[in-house]
Amino acid sequence: MESLARGGVRKMRSRLAGPVEYTLPLGEVGIDMNSLLEQKIKLEFSGDIHCVNCGRKTKKSFNQGHCFPCLQTLAQCDSCIIHPEKCHFDQGTCREPGWGERHCMQDHIVYLANSSGLKVGITRATQVPTRWIDQGATQALAIFRVRTRLQSGVLEMIFKQHVADKTNWREMLKGTPEELDMKAKSIELTEKCRSEIAELKERFGFFAISVLTGIETVEIAYPVVRYLEKINSFNFDKDPVVEGTLLGVKGQYLIFDTGVINMRRFSGYDVEVSS
């Protein structure tokens, strides 16, 4: 096999096309993963991990590529990132107020997606459609626009009483889910939560929460030759070598005939890719 590149893994970059186009960053090099479909590929982890934020060498990676000190100090590693309804920026206790201004005090989209079935989610307006692709959604529809991350989190909490807020990654990787009428699902969900949405508008202000109308469902196709019937997940911490025929890319997963690997999970790992 010939080495294509070696370096620190970063989250795969994607571009909405038919199908989605993927690039795997390794250090300063980006590998076009679509061009490697149906080829024998080997990924070999050297054993070195460097924090994606500060570059420090670390024995263990936290929160998709951070060392322990960064985990404890960065706003992007705070628990409110996982639970946006707990955002505490307005209380003056954000770990990094500047980061919070740029990422949390910005317009957010509340959306419905079809990945392993219907789910609700949130993302910064600037992350559409990247967020949907990262989750492996085949359909997505933006339904509300709000002014802050906190507001999006509170609205998501209301909706998740009626619809899932997580993707079943194993089901997502087994195939394409049944097509849904996303607009009808949106209307149904909004109607169920009408009174609670009205209360939120009173709490945050009428113009803070806007229903999005005239928006079309985004259909997303992925570069997958064949799905697996049984999902075996690879882990560089347990096995430094992953190899097989590349059958597809979906979400942040590479799908081999031998199993799958979530590349985003191993951000900061020093890996060589050969073909």
Side-chain angles (χ1 to χ4, degrees):
M1 282 189 166
E2 179 183 351
S3 176
L4 300 179
R6 176 180 171 178
V9 172
R10 293 294 186 272
K11 184 184 90 128
M12 284 190 286
R13 298 192 297 266
S14 60
R15 189 178 78 85
L16 183 61
V20 172
E21 296 174 356
Y22 280 98
T23 300
L24 172 63
L26 288 181
E28 300 300 317
V29 179
I31 300 177
D32 176 3
M33 298 308 298
N34 293 54
S35 68
L36 297 178
L37 286 175
E38 299 187 89
Q39 294 187 36
K40 289 281 188 181
I41 307 294
K42 181 168 76 170
L43 283 65
E44 189 167 3
F45 170 45
S46 71
D48 291 339
I49 307 172
H50 291 269
C51 176
V52 296
N53 178 66
C54 69
R56 155 191 300 121
K57 190 172 182 179
T58 177
K59 291 182 178 180
K60 186 176 181 181
S61 173
F62 301 89
N63 198 24
Q64 298 174 340
H66 294 86
C67 64
F68 189 73
C70 284
L71 176 73
Q72 296 294 302
T73 57
L74 294 179
Q76 61 191 287
C77 295
D78 202 347
S79 60
C80 54
I81 298 302
I82 302 298
H83 301 284
E85 73 279 3
K86 297 180 180 179
C87 176
H88 47 93
F89 184 93
D90 60 347
Q91 300 172 33
T93 54
C94 181
R95 291 177 176 181
E96 298 175 277
W99 189 93
E101 284 280 2
R102 296 190 302 274
H103 292 83
C104 301
M105 305 305 289
Q106 302 292 331
D107 282 9
H108 277 63
I109 298 296
V110 179
Y111 62 85
L112 291 179
N114 184 11
S115 48
S116 57
L118 190 68
K119 73 175 289 291
V120 63
I122 68 167
T123 189
R124 292 197 312 278
T126 56
Q127 291 301 298
V128 171
T130 301
R131 177 63 173 165
W132 302 338
I133 294 172
D134 285 348
Q135 293 183 336
T138 55
Q139 296 175 284
L141 178 64
I143 59 175
F144 279 83
R145 190 182 190 104
V146 300
R147 290 183 172 175
T148 69
R149 184 174 178 81
L150 172 63
Q151 293 163 4
S152 69
V154 176
L155 188 54
E156 182 185 40
M157 288 290 290
I158 291 172
F159 288 150
K160 65 190 283 188
Q161 299 176 78
H162 307 283
V163 64
D165 68 328
K166 291 181 174 59
T167 296
N168 182 325
W169 65 271
R170 288 185 178 275
E171 290 301 315
M172 181 269 288
L173 291 172
K174 285 183 177 180
T176 301
E178 179 182 352
E179 186 172 315
L180 300 174
D181 185 335
M182 301 296 282
K183 288 188 177 181
K185 295 293 184 182
S186 171
I187 293 170
E188 179 184 344
L189 183 62
T190 302
E191 186 59 35
K192 285 180 180 179
C193 303
R194 180 178 296 276
S195 61
E196 292 157 297
I197 293 171
E199 290 175 6
L200 282 190
K201 289 184 176 181
E202 287 188 15
R203 174 182 170 185
F204 294 116
F206 183 79
F207 294 105
I209 299 173
S210 304
V211 179
L212 295 175
T213 58
I215 305 293
E216 295 299 321
T217 298
V218 175
E219 307 284 344
I220 306 173
Y222 295 89
V224 179
V225 176
R226 175 170 61 85
Y227 287 101
L228 302 178
E229 293 183 6
K230 184 178 180 181
I231 304 297
N232 170 46
S233 179
F234 292 118
N235 184 339
F236 282 135
D237 294 323
K238 297 179 180 179
D239 187 349
V241 177
V242 173
E243 55 186 331
T245 300
L246 184 65
L247 298 180
V249 190
K250 189 176 185 182
Q252 282 289 316
Y253 286 86
L254 298 181
I255 305 172
F256 295 93
D257 60 341
T258 50
V260 304
I261 185 166
N262 182 345
M263 296 307 293
R264 186 174 190 177
R265 176 183 173 186
F266 298 103
S267 295
Y269 282 55
D270 181 64
V271 171
E272 182 176 23
V273 176
S274 303
S275 174

